[in-house]
Amino acid sequence: MNIYKSGDGYSDYKDITLQVVLKSGNTYPEMNCPWFRIFSPPFTALFENPSVSYDASVTIYYSEINSVRLDHNKVGPENYVSFIDDEGGIWNIVSYEKLNNIPDPPGLAFHLKKQEN
């Protein structure tokens, strides 16, 4: 992954491809993501109860989410366990929330924890 921009406490990556690991154990090979942010140190969401900490956040549009299929059946984000980046890093899903960032297409923001090897 190549850094698009970075600032104090984060690095942004643009237009990346992730693999999706499903609860069934299957892997969906490609999901395009317009934006991936890695926090350093981890971000703590104090507004959640209890507060939650995560290492990254990724935006995925519904057009990509709706393309995930297993045996020709749509698989929703509630069945996603983690993402694998192009360097083989595994990012476990902590939570996700709906996004409506006009003028961008609607989608979800997934909050992720990096899996230690």
Side-chain angles (χ1 to χ4, degrees), residues 63-84:
S63 58
E64 288 293 319
I65 292 167
N66 292 335
S67 71
V68 178
R69 307 274 174 192
L70 182 61
D71 298 325
H72 305 289
N73 296 313
K74 181 181 167 193
V75 179
E78 67 279 1
N79 294 298
Y80 303 176
V81 174
S82 59
F83 297 104
I84 302 173

